[in-house]
Amino acid sequence: MNVYQLDDMSWEYQFGDKSLKANTLKELEVLVSLYGLKWSRLDDALARESLKRDNLNRTGFLNVYLKESPRGYVWCYRGSSLSSSSLEVLKKNVLREGLEWKVTDDDLANRSFAMDLKKFGELLF
């Protein structure tokens, strides 16, 4: 209900002329409940698909998400125009801009770097 995924892969809950935004559906659900607003599922299949997309987009890095582009997937930094097909290049650009680069989950971060290295290896061979 009134929940949409935005271009930066974050989520928005709209109510009237106002809205609440969060990086994950679980964070949005907590935020909505803190405001005393209604949170319910109107379509269980769509809710499961939304949770699946949300879970697949967890990278283990603060503000980093994957986005599909015509050239494949690119790593993006939420709240900026920074993006790259290489996670390491994105990290360098984020730090060069003076933005925060923070690991939020070691296992997910390692998985993201491994996936990035695998993609790079496929491009070389």
Side-chain angles (χ1 to χ4, degrees), residues 48-106:
R48 281 191 301 277
E49 180 62 30
S50 296
L51 284 170
K52 181 180 172 185
R53 280 188 309 191
D54 199 35
N55 286 333
L56 287 174
N57 199 34
R58 294 178 50 217
T59 63
F61 299 99
L62 181 68
N63 294 325
V64 175
Y65 62 96
L66 269 174
K67 185 173 184 179
E68 194 168 6
S69 76
R71 303 171 311 189
Y73 285 94
V74 294
W75 302 96
C76 302
Y77 193 84
R78 191 173 279 114
S80 76
S81 61
L82 298 175
S83 66
S84 176
S85 58
S86 164
L87 188 55
E88 190 61 41
V89 170
L90 179 66
K91 177 182 177 180
K92 288 178 184 177
N93 291 337
V94 165
L95 294 173
R96 184 180 324 118
E97 292 291 320
L99 299 170
E100 183 178 15
W101 185 266
K102 181 180 176 183
V103 174
T104 58
D105 183 305
D106 288 326

Side-chain angles (χ1 to χ4, degrees), residues 2 7 9 13 19 46-48 66 85 103 110-111 114 118:
N2 301 332
D7 288 341
M9 305 308 284
Y13 177 96
S19 67
L46 184 57
R48 281 191 301 277
L66 269 174
S85 58
V103 174
N110 288 334
R111 185 189 75 186
K118 180 180 180 205

